[in-house]
Amino acid sequence: MTDLEQLQTALHSLKVLRSNVGIAFESVSNGLRADHGEDGKENKFILELQELLSTVNNNLRDVEGAVSNLSIPPGPFALGNTIYLSQEVTQERQSLYVQLVNSYKWTDKIRDYSALAGNILASNSVNKTYKTFSTTKRRKTQTSTHNVPPEVIENLITGIDRLFPDVTITASRPFVPNPVIQASLSRVLKAVIAFKGLMIEWVVVKAHSESNDLWTESRYKVFKKVTENCHAAMCHFHSPTMPELAVKSFMHWFHSYNTLFSNPCKRCGNYLYSNLPPTWRDLRTLEPYHEECK
Amino acid sequence: MGVTILQQFPIENRTGPATIELLTKRISALGAVQQGHFLVDCETYSSVANLGPPRTVHVLHNSEQPASCFSILDTGTKTIPLAADGLFDLLMLKMNYFYQAKKQTKAESKGPRFEIGDFCVKLGTVTVSQNFKGILVEVEYRPCVVPGMCWELIREFMQGVLGSSVQSNPPPYLATRMQENYTPIDTIHQYLEHFTMFRKSPGMRT
C-alpha cells in the first residue's frame, strides 16, 4: 500500500515538474511583455525567468527525492495474456490496451458494488426466488414461478377475467410463456400488465384513448401516479410461495380503482388535492386516499 | 378528449376584460400555465320558405378540433348533430339557395386557455356580431370520459376557481347523458345552448 502511495506522489511531483517547465518555456518564448513596464524591463524579465527556473529546480529535486524512495519491483509484472498486445503491429488495434484496462476497472467496481449490495439485500427479505435452507425436513421441490407451462397462466388469467365482471382482459403473447395482458377497468382506465411466468413483471396504467405500448407512460398526471402506486402494490403483494394468490390479490386491489374519479378521499373528504383525485388505495381496506393523506 | 363543463360567470359591475383578468389572476395563483388561446364560433342558417317546414342549421367550429366542422340541424321536433371535415363550410356556401345565413347572429367565444394538472380551463369572452355579451368558462377534465363519474370532482375544482357561482347540478344537456361516453359534439351542444341564450337576451346577460 505504501508503495502505491509513494508511486502516486512521485507521479504527482513529475506532473508538477512538467507543468512548471512548460510555464518556463512559455515565458521564454513570449519574451518581453507589456506588463514589464518601460524602465528596466530586461532586468524584470531576467528576474522572472530566474524565479521560474528556481521553481523548476525545486520540483526536479522533489521528483528525484520521490523516485529514490520508490522500491524496485521484485520481478517482471504478471500481465497474463495482455503482454502479447505489445506485439500487435496494426495501428487500429494498439488502442486495445486502454480499453482493456477500462473494462478491468469496470468489472472490479462491479464486484465491489455487488458484494455490498449482496450484504444489504441479504438482511432484507425481498427474495424473488424461494429457497429453504432446512435440511431436516425436505419438502417437495417448489414449483418455479418463472418457468410454468402456458396453460397454468392461461387458467389464471381466465380465472381473473371471470372474477371481476367489469374487468375485460385481452392477452397477447409476444414471448410464448410470458403473456402481456391488457386489463380494462370499466370505462375508467386500462392497465398493460406483463407477466414473467406467474409473476407480475411490469404494470403501466393509461387512459383508454392511449396506446397499448408497454414502454411509454400515460400523458395524464393522474395515471402516472396510479402507475407508480401499482408498482408499489405489485411489490407488496408479491409472494414467491403462492404466486397465484399474489396475482389475484393484486387484481383485487387494482379493481378498487373503478371508483378513481367518483370517490372522495377517506381522510380529508375532498375529491381533489393538488389537482389530483385520490390515487392511493389502501392495500387491505381498499379505501381511497390522496397520496398526501394516507 | 375528456369531460367538459361549460358555465357562465356573472360579470356583476365589472367590464368584460376586467372579469377575464380577475379569473386569470385567480387561476394563475392556483398554478395554472397559459397555453395559447382558443376560439369557438357559431353561424346560424335558416331554410328558405319553399323548402317546407322551417329548419335551422347551426355551424360551429372549435379550435380544440381544428380539422373538424360541427353542425346541428334543428327541425323543430328533433336535433341532428353532425361532425364533418372543414370542407363542410364550402358545402354550406353551395347550399346558399336553400339555407341562408341569418344576419347579425355570428356568435363567438374566445380568450386564453390554461392547463393545470390534468385540467384544461378556457376563459371565453362571448360576442354576438361583435357586441360583448358575457363570460363563459369551460373546464375540461381530460383523463375521464364518463360525465357521471367525474362531475363531483369537476364541480369541486370549479368551486375552487369560480367560487359560489357554480351550480350544484350538471348542465341540463349533460344531466340526461351522465352515463354515456363524452364526445366533442357534446361540448358543441353546450356552447350552442349558451349562444342561443346570449342571442335572445337583448343587452348583456349577467
Side-chain angles (χ1 to χ4, degrees):
Chain A
M1 205 57 215
T2 49
D3 272 6
L4 207 62
E5 270 167 29
Q6 278 169 359
L7 193 65
Q8 290 287 359
T9 42
L11 281 175
H12 178 72
S13 46
L14 190 66
K15 242 187 258 174
V16 174
L17 173 67
R18 282 182 154 189
S19 122
N20 280 332
V21 167
I23 292 171
F25 276 120
E26 199 187 331
S27 169
V28 171
S29 65
N30 282 344
L32 286 173
R33 290 189 312 273
D35 57 313
H36 287 123
E38 275 303 307
D39 334 329
K41 47 187 176 184
E42 284 91 354
N43 278 337
K44 273 187 190 165
F45 181 61
I46 288 169
L47 274 177
E48 185 188 300
L49 213 58
Q50 260 172 0
E51 224 167 83
L52 285 171
L53 286 176
S54 64
T55 13
V56 169
N57 232 339
N58 289 339
N59 291 149
L60 187 63
R61 215 171 301 132
D62 288 347
V63 173
E64 276 170 346
V67 168
S68 64
N69 280 337
L70 290 177
S71 52
I72 299 162
F77 290 111
L79 289 176
N81 287 334
T82 57
I83 48 167
Y84 301 119
L85 276 177
S86 64
Q87 291 166 4
E88 189 57 70
V89 278
T90 43
Q91 197 83 41
E92 65 237 37
R93 290 209 195 148
Q94 280 179 354
S95 62
L96 274 180
Y97 186 74
V98 182
Q99 289 175 12
L100 192 77
V101 170
N102 273 334
S103 46
Y104 178 76
K105 279 183 188 160
W106 265 98
T107 37
D108 215 35
K109 269 189 204 164
I110 287 171
R111 256 183 53 167
D112 284 359
Y113 288 147
S114 54
L116 276 175
N119 278 336
I120 295 165
L121 289 178
S123 57
N124 297 310
S125 58
V126 281
N127 295 331
K128 273 216 165 184
T129 43
Y130 181 76
K131 272 186 267 173
T132 42
F133 295 105
S134 62
T135 45
T136 46
K137 200 173 75 179
R138 278 226 168 262
R139 291 202 214 160
K140 77 178 175 69
T141 37
Q142 280 289 329
T143 47
S144 157
T145 52
H146 302 267
N147 200 3
V148 282
E151 304 84 56
V152 179
I153 307 173
E154 194 61 42
N155 287 343
L156 177 73
I157 292 171
T158 42
I160 295 166
D161 206 0
R162 267 186 229 129
L163 200 59
F164 306 106
D166 51 357
V167 179
T168 17
I169 291 180
T170 41
S172 63
R173 296 169 179 281
F175 307 107
V176 175
N178 304 324
V180 175
I181 65 169
Q182 183 204 325
S184 302
L185 187 53
S186 60
R187 283 182 290 171
V188 180
L189 49 83
K190 71 176 173 198
V192 186
I193 304 172
F195 280 86
K196 171 94 179 157
L198 277 177
M199 290 191 303
I200 296 179
E201 183 81 0
W202 191 250
V203 186
V204 186
V205 175
K206 293 181 177 197
H208 274 296
S209 54
E210 293 182 281
S211 74
N212 289 335
D213 183 11
L214 195 57
W215 304 113
T216 50
E217 56 178 2
S218 171
R219 86 175 85 106
Y220 301 113
K221 296 209 169 62
V222 47
F223 293 134
K224 282 184 196 166
K225 204 86 212 160
V226 174
T227 305
E228 275 174 28
N229 290 337
C230 278
H231 290 170
M234 166 181 99
C235 297
H236 172 86
F237 287 120
H238 178 73
S239 131
T241 44
M242 292 172 286
E244 294 199 18
L245 183 72
V247 175
K248 274 191 183 144
S249 11
F250 174 80
M251 289 309 290
H252 200 72
W253 176 85
F254 174 73
H255 177 251
S256 66
Y257 274 115
N258 64 349
T259 57
L260 176 63
F261 301 119
S262 44
N263 267 9
C265 167
K266 199 80 183 166
R267 166 80 52 92
C268 68
N270 289 336
Y271 285 94
L272 293 172
Y273 190 98
S274 58
N275 302 313
L276 285 174
T279 46
W280 174 251
R281 294 289 183 272
D282 190 272
L283 293 166
R284 213 147 7 100
T285 58
L286 306 181
E287 284 164 346
Y289 289 100
H290 289 123
E291 183 148 272
E292 292 82 356
C293 297
K294 68 182 176 187
Chain B
M1 180 67 214
V3 177
T4 305
I5 305 286
L6 187 67
Q7 91 145 57
Q8 198 196 355
F9 186 73
I11 313 176
E12 287 157 8
N13 333 332
R14 293 177 292 261
T15 60
T19 316
I20 294 285
E21 200 178 322
L22 172 86
L23 288 175
T24 305
K25 252 184 212 160
R26 271 196 212 168
I27 196 155
S28 305
L30 289 173
V33 187
Q34 187 174 346
Q35 305 276 356
H37 290 79
F38 84 104
L39 167 72
V40 177
D41 64 52
C42 170
E43 189 105 44
T44 298
Y45 301 83
S46 48
S47 61
V48 292
N50 56 6
L51 205 69
R55 275 169 287 189
T56 324
V57 178
H58 306 277
V59 179
L60 294 102
H61 301 90
N62 187 349
S63 57
E64 203 73 8
Q65 283 86 30
S68 303
C69 175
F70 302 93
S71 65
I72 293 169
L73 175 66
D74 191 350
T75 62
T77 50
K78 60 176 179 179
T79 55
I80 302 160
L82 172 75
D85 271 4
L87 283 176
F88 188 79
D89 286 325
L90 302 177
L91 196 64
M92 279 315 284
L93 288 180
K94 293 274 181 208
M95 292 203 287
N96 202 13
Y97 295 111
F98 312 110
Y99 287 102
Q100 276 161 356
K102 278 188 182 169
K103 296 280 176 285
Q104 307 286 312
T105 56
K106 190 176 166 68
E108 265 186 355
S109 171
K110 65 173 171 185
R113 175 183 185 278
F114 295 89
E115 284 185 12
I116 167 168
D118 289 326
F119 289 92
C120 177
V121 181
K122 296 172 190 169
L123 309 174
T125 311
V126 181
T127 53
V128 174
S129 62
Q130 310 299 328
N131 299 317
F132 174 68
K133 289 286 186 176
I135 302 288
L136 279 179
V137 179
E138 180 192 321
V139 173
E140 181 184 352
Y141 187 60
R142 289 177 296 175
C144 187
V145 287
V146 185
M149 283 181 187
C150 60
W151 157 247
E152 290 287 329
L153 182 146
I154 295 182
R155 193 170 66 95
E156 190 179 297
F157 177 80
M158 288 173 85
Q159 271 170 347
V161 181
L162 307 177
S164 55
S165 66
V166 177
Q167 312 286 319
S168 56
N169 294 320
Y173 171 78
L174 272 188
T176 55
R177 296 170 174 80
M178 290 302 264
Q179 292 310 320
E180 286 169 32
N181 277 4
Y182 195 92
T183 54
I185 199 88
D186 295 322
T187 311
I188 293 298
H189 269 288
Q190 290 188 58
Y191 267 105
L192 183 63
E193 269 185 5
H194 279 279
F195 284 154
T196 316
M197 277 190 275
F198 277 121
R199 280 171 183 163
K200 281 178 187 159
S201 61
M204 273 196 290
R205 186 178 153 217
T206 50

